[in-house]
Amino acid sequence: MRRIACTLGVDIGTSSSKGVLVDAGGSVIAAATVAHEVSRPRDGWVEMDGEVWWREFVVLARDLLAQIGDREDEVVITAIGVSGMGPCVLLTDADDVPVRPAILYGVDTRATAQIARMTEELGTEAIVEIGGSALTTQAGGPKVQWIADEEPDAYARARRLFMPASWLARRLTGAYVLDHQSASQMSPLYDVENERWHGPWLERFAPGIEAPQLLWAGEVAGTVTAEAAAETGLATGTPVVAGTIDAWSEAVSVGAHGEGDLMLMYGTTMFLVATGPQTLRTPSMWTTAGAFPGTRNLAGGLATSGALTGWLKDLTGADYQTLLLEAAASPAGAHGLLALPYFAGERTPILDPDARGVIAGLTLRHGRGDLYRAVLEATAFAVRHNVETMRAAGADIRRIVAVGGGTQGALWLQIVSDVTGLVQEVPRTTVGASYGAAHLAAAAIAEGGAAPVIADWNPMVTTVTPRPEAARRYDELFPHYLALYEATVPVTHALTALQRTEGTPA
């Protein structure tokens, strides 16, 4: 009987949780997924019960163990990696019982009043100097303040702060930790340049909350306890790394954490992470610590991307394959349609939670294929807007790596390359953040400098190149995309206010 050493990687995502077992050569030997939905109790609110994160980890771990249970070879899990959506704010009491559902990342836009108040009190310049970024709906600090303001009874019980990865690490090992990258998105509570909590603002805006110990994503947080082993079936004493936010774990999964790299994550939302050695600051993007010591990121994110394709699929009743075929038959520009993808507000670079979706140019001749193509093109224009903003801030983008479930669709990839003018590299394995978490775990326990190289684990297999004719068409349309937002802001903001008054779901 052969002994196969592998690592377990689990990621808690927006629409599902995924787990993989990966052997020492980078091959996925087992995989499992658990679908879930977030809660949207009010316009602009996006929440999730933190206990679900642990329950789904248990389900995934037992599923994966069952898959390898019948193998002739002995499969041994040598380490565990974790990651999850973020920045999320899950506050618990002293017994680690959540005081309320977790408030999710920038798609939750409830804390606008807290953002305004904190910005007025501290000043944008000081916030950017310490925290790296101006306060937006992505920042974790205002979300903590919202709970203190709006749910004081819940906040009075709060003692600890978690995100999905750190919550799993806590339940598995008992360690109370948070990785530097995740902490840097708790702006303004973290000092990006000095890589530490900023004590005065932590005490001011998160009073009574014990600061978690800071680790880097690939550092070992602890080992599996006997209690966690009994629940999950995993072996007591198995090392668990601190982990990080899913987009950064995705970048790890494809080796896109080098200087000059840009990771483009195709998912329910879309995320961009540019890596470099310097701390770049620009008001409309997010400056963060990197996943590894000595690195800095300039990041951005769309509030919707894959969520739009799902919305259109449900609206039309057509399956994805039909919609893709019809969209491919529509030319670049979708027969004169232009869409804004701001169906849930928008994160970077416009930082406008009150933005709304727009589809302009509709005529009776347009079909659902044109609409589907226009939605794909809208996300591509948003990516271009982010990339151009990053470059204007000084980001040296030399290499684009595409990751995530959306990379399975060749049409979407091609449209993004055509719109941005950028060549995209696609790796062999696009499992995503769970795969990156497994690699972090493997590297953490490697001895004598024998850490696995991600390029060996996951080589690039596809290159997507812009098509000149389509690129010229999109170059003509991009200024109109920018102008459409500016022209419609007064109307969409008024409609957003009306939606809030009527309680329209986000």
Side-chain angles (χ1 to χ4, degrees):
M1 177 183 292
R2 290 189 308 160
R3 182 181 186 274
I4 300 176
C6 68
T7 51
L8 167 64
V10 171
D11 174 67
I12 308 296
T14 305
S15 57
S16 65
S17 295
K18 299 176 182 177
V20 291
L21 291 177
V22 184
D23 69 18
S27 296
V28 176
I29 62 174
T33 300
V34 179
H36 59 236
E37 293 184 358
V38 298
S39 172
R40 299 177 185 269
R42 297 187 189 177
D43 181 43
W45 293 26
V46 188
E47 304 182 343
M48 194 169 179
D49 179 2
E51 290 291 357
V52 172
W53 303 341
W54 174 244
R55 289 200 298 269
E56 292 188 347
F57 180 93
V58 173
V59 169
L60 291 169
R62 290 198 169 276
D63 188 337
L64 293 167
L65 289 170
Q67 289 184 45
I68 62 174
D70 295 332
R71 293 175 65 109
E72 294 182 1
D73 302 317
E74 179 190 10
V75 178
V76 178
I77 298 174
T78 56
I80 299 165
V82 290
S83 69
M85 56 187 165
C88 300
V89 171
L90 175 67
L91 299 184
T92 74
D93 65 16
D95 296 318
D96 291 339
V97 177
V99 301
R100 70 169 326 281
I103 300 177
L104 301 197
Y105 51 98
V107 295
D108 185 295
T109 60
R110 75 183 72 189
T112 52
Q114 288 71 27
I115 291 168
R117 187 182 71 231
M118 294 167 72
T119 300
E120 182 178 2
E121 177 180 335
L122 302 176
T124 299
E125 184 176 343
I127 292 170
V128 171
E129 179 63 27
I130 297 295
S133 307
L135 296 184
T136 69
T137 60
Q138 184 76 358
K143 297 178 193 293
V144 175
Q145 274 286 284
W146 184 93
I147 300 172
D149 290 345
E150 301 296 330
E151 298 177 354
D153 291 343
Y155 191 84
R157 303 195 308 274
R159 295 294 180 271
R160 299 191 182 105
L161 164 71
F162 295 96
M163 294 190 195
S166 65
W167 181 241
L168 296 184
R170 176 70 167 181
R171 299 295 293 265
L172 284 165
T173 71
Y176 180 44
V177 301
L178 189 67
D179 69 287
H180 283 273
Q181 202 295 310
S182 298
S184 71
Q185 296 207 48
M186 286 301 301
S187 186
L189 311 182
Y190 178 91
D191 183 339
V192 171
E193 203 63 56
N194 293 299
E195 299 175 345
R196 65 190 181 198
W197 292 112
H198 185 58
W201 291 354
L202 184 69
E203 294 172 9
R204 168 68 183 85
F205 297 111
I209 304 299
E210 176 189 351
Q213 178 189 357
L214 293 171
L215 298 177
W216 293 100
E219 290 187 288
V220 174
T223 59
V224 175
T225 65
E227 181 182 1
E231 285 194 68
T232 63
L234 299 168
T236 303
T238 307
V240 180
V241 298
T244 189
I245 290 175
D246 53 6
W248 277 259
S249 189
E250 289 245 25
V252 169
S253 78
V254 294
H257 265 302
E259 186 175 340
D261 286 347
L262 176 72
M263 187 275 299
L264 181 58
M265 184 180 77
Y266 291 74
T268 305
T269 66
M270 191 172 278
F271 218 87
L272 305 90
V273 180
T275 300
Q278 297 179 323
T279 305
L280 300 176
R281 292 175 170 86
T282 181
S284 58
M285 306 299 289
W286 305 317
T287 299
T288 73
F292 302 111
T295 60
R296 296 289 184 273
N297 297 130
L298 194 60
L302 282 59
T304 57
S305 56
L308 292 179
T309 64
W311 168 79
L312 197 54
K313 171 183 173 291
D314 292 342
L315 192 66
T316 62
D319 58 43
Y320 282 120
Q321 187 62 34
T322 299
L323 289 168
L324 284 168
L325 288 172
E326 292 177 356
S330 181
H335 288 121
L337 287 187
L338 187 60
L340 298 181
Y342 311 145
F343 283 46
E346 185 55 299
R347 297 192 281 174
T348 61
I350 66 172
L351 305 179
D352 185 359
D354 290 343
R356 288 296 181 264
V358 173
I359 302 175
L362 278 167
T363 70
L364 295 174
R365 68 173 286 194
H366 288 111
R368 64 188 180 191
D370 299 314
L371 285 171
Y372 198 77
R373 186 179 189 97
V375 163
L376 295 178
E377 291 174 345
T379 64
F381 284 128
V383 169
R384 177 169 171 172
H385 197 183
N386 276 275
V387 168
E388 292 191 357
T389 305
M390 286 178 165
R391 283 180 163 163
D396 178 18
I397 298 173
R398 307 178 211 155
R399 176 172 175 260
I400 315 299
V401 182
V403 299
T407 59
Q408 303 301 315
L411 179 62
W412 197 5
L413 284 168
Q414 187 62 62
I415 288 173
V416 169
S417 280
D418 291 343
V419 167
T420 62
L422 298 170
V423 174
Q424 297 178 84
E425 297 180 15
V426 184
R428 178 179 62 194
T429 299
T430 58
V431 171
S434 57
Y435 189 80
H439 185 267
L440 285 171
I445 61 169
E447 298 180 357
V453 177
I454 193 63
D456 295 334
W457 267 35
N458 195 18
M460 299 296 150
V461 294
T462 302
T463 300
V464 183
T465 304
R467 298 170 299 179
E469 184 176 346
R472 284 191 294 271
R473 177 62 170 157
Y474 291 131
D475 284 343
E476 295 173 1
L477 289 172
F478 184 61
H480 296 305
Y481 170 84
L482 299 177
L484 183 60
Y485 168 68
E486 297 295 339
T488 56
V489 158
V491 175
T492 56
H493 280 195
L495 292 174
T496 300
L498 181 62
Q499 290 167 358
R500 290 198 174 114
T501 300
E502 295 180 345
T504 304

